[in-house]
Amino acid sequence: MTSNREIHLASRPQGWPTEDTFRLVETEVPTPGPGQIVVRNQYMSVDPYMRGRMNDVKSYVPPFALDAPLDGAAIGEVVASEAVDIAVGTTVLHGLGWREYALLDAAAARPVDPSVAPVSAYLSVLGMTGLTAYAGLLEVAAMKPGETVFVSAAAGAVGSLVGQIAKLKGAGRVIGSAGSPAKVERLRALGFDAAFDYHDGVRESLRAAAPDGVDVYFDNVGGDHLEAAILAMNLHGRAAICGMIAQYNATEPPAAPRNLALVIGKRLTLRGFLVNDHNDVRAAFVRDVSGWLHDGTLSYDETIVDGIENAPAAFLGLLRGDNLGKMLVKV
């Protein structure tokens, strides 16, 4: 193959991105230099945090450049190598998605064993997604056995794992919010003790589902969900703030939460986190999750969109909540 297709950022969106935010560009397949490899991507991830990188603002990761390929987690097979430690045919995990062929330094790739699990799992339950759920619940929020846990966007890639891990680690009650009746039913099938459609009212639904209050809140949404959680949380409750997808496309300041003063009297802890700060628990994460997958006590969902040309549509669908579990593009 000599042709390589990439998705470039064509413009910086104001509010919701559209198909015109992206551009499909055809280039040549790159040639590796010393210490480099070329990877034929098989799957790439689209994630909510990518919306923030489309804005030209300072953040914890640099913004995407205009008229250049976007990037993000991907997995694929090495098709050319000038590196002594990674051979052609190796399956590797790396950070240059949004393109069919990726050129990168061998040091930036992590070889994985495709016989252990489907390769897509390394972008979901066995990858950053799974570690985010594990570390956020157990390290950041420090969940204890017997506690009540509330998870927003619970049918998504991270949230669905948080709820299951909470049950496996001894939570007394696990509650999830989702965006449709079908997703609510899926949460119940995954073992959530209660689940509700947030369109029915977050505050009222959470009060009914957690009459004795909430000890741990895993926040993927922000806004009205965070406000409702603060109201419902017990003394010394902890919230792990993973994401705030409700306001990623907002053009006006969020209306909620309006009850932050409750943090004082309830002695709450609201702690934001990034998964890369928790690589020290990776070994425990791999041990636990691999065991749960092997014995069938942990399930994961994937929504797969076919074709690099459909990556923008997959990303827009993710922002709308079209996915069940992890949203991936089969390149």
Side-chain angles (χ1 to χ4, degrees):
M1 292 289 292
T2 59
S3 176
N4 176 37
R5 294 184 298 167
E6 306 173 336
I7 302 295
H8 288 204
L9 184 66
S11 63
R12 298 200 185 280
Q14 300 297 316
W16 281 82
T18 67
E19 290 280 355
D20 292 336
T21 303
F22 308 90
R23 182 182 299 118
L24 180 64
V25 176
E26 189 167 312
T27 65
E28 292 185 354
V29 175
T31 301
Q36 294 184 318
I37 58 175
V38 174
V39 181
R40 172 64 170 97
N41 285 334
Q42 297 168 313
Y43 291 92
M44 55 163 274
S45 175
V46 293
D47 301 284
Y49 81 89
M50 294 175 176
R51 174 60 186 88
R53 294 189 65 194
M54 294 177 184
N55 301 328
D56 190 12
V57 295
K58 185 176 181 180
S59 185
Y60 61 91
V61 286
F64 293 128
L66 284 173
D67 302 314
L70 292 85
D71 58 65
I75 194 165
E77 181 181 347
V78 177
V79 294
S81 176
E82 291 295 332
V84 296
D85 50 348
I86 298 185
V88 169
T90 304
T91 300
V92 296
L93 189 66
H94 62 92
L96 292 182
W98 294 87
R99 67 203 78 188
E100 291 177 319
Y101 290 87
L103 172 68
L104 62 150
D105 293 337
R110 180 163 65 91
V112 298
D113 186 350
S115 68
V116 172
V119 293
S120 61
Y122 288 101
L123 294 174
S124 58
V125 65
L126 289 174
M128 180 181 72
T129 298
L131 182 58
T132 299
Y134 187 94
L137 177 70
L138 302 178
E139 294 292 306
V140 179
M143 189 209 82
K144 304 179 186 67
E147 291 189 317
T148 296
V149 177
F150 171 45
V151 187
S152 57
V158 173
S160 59
L161 297 177
V162 171
Q164 293 180 84
I165 293 170
K167 294 296 290 186
L168 288 164
K169 288 292 187 177
R173 184 168 176 81
V174 177
I175 302 155
S177 71
S180 72
K183 289 183 177 181
V184 168
E185 287 305 310
R186 179 57 181 159
L187 294 181
R188 291 175 177 145
L190 290 174
F192 283 67
D193 297 291
F196 61 85
D197 185 334
Y198 66 79
H199 295 103
D200 296 331
V202 181
R203 180 182 294 192
E204 299 79 6
S205 298
L206 181 58
R207 184 186 298 118
D212 297 322
V214 170
D215 301 299
V216 168
Y217 173 46
F218 196 104
D219 190 14
N220 293 302
V221 174
D224 58 348
H225 279 74
L226 180 55
E227 181 174 281
I230 289 171
L231 185 64
M233 288 174 80
N234 296 322
L235 289 179
H236 303 292
R238 290 91 62 208
I241 312 297
C242 178
M244 294 192 174
I245 197 170
Q247 60 199 62
Y248 287 167
N249 297 302
T251 56
E252 298 292 334
R258 296 160 294 186
N259 57 352
L260 280 175
L262 292 177
V263 171
I264 303 167
K266 292 188 175 188
R267 286 81 110 191
L268 304 180
T269 299
L270 311 182
R271 182 179 170 191
F273 74 102
L274 298 177
V275 66
N276 289 338
D277 294 337
H278 297 278
N279 284 317
D280 57 315
V281 300
R282 184 177 292 277
F285 157 70
V286 172
R287 179 197 65 230
D288 283 351
V289 171
S290 297
W292 293 329
L293 290 173
H294 184 264
D295 63 22
T297 55
L298 182 69
S299 300
Y300 65 99
D301 294 314
E302 295 176 340
T303 300
I304 298 177
V305 173
D306 192 45
I308 187 71
E309 69 278 6
N310 293 316
F315 178 71
L316 298 177
L318 172 76
L319 295 181
R320 291 191 302 266
D322 293 349
N323 57 302
L324 186 64
K326 182 69 176 176
M327 180 72 91
L328 297 171
V329 176
K330 186 177 181 180
V331 179

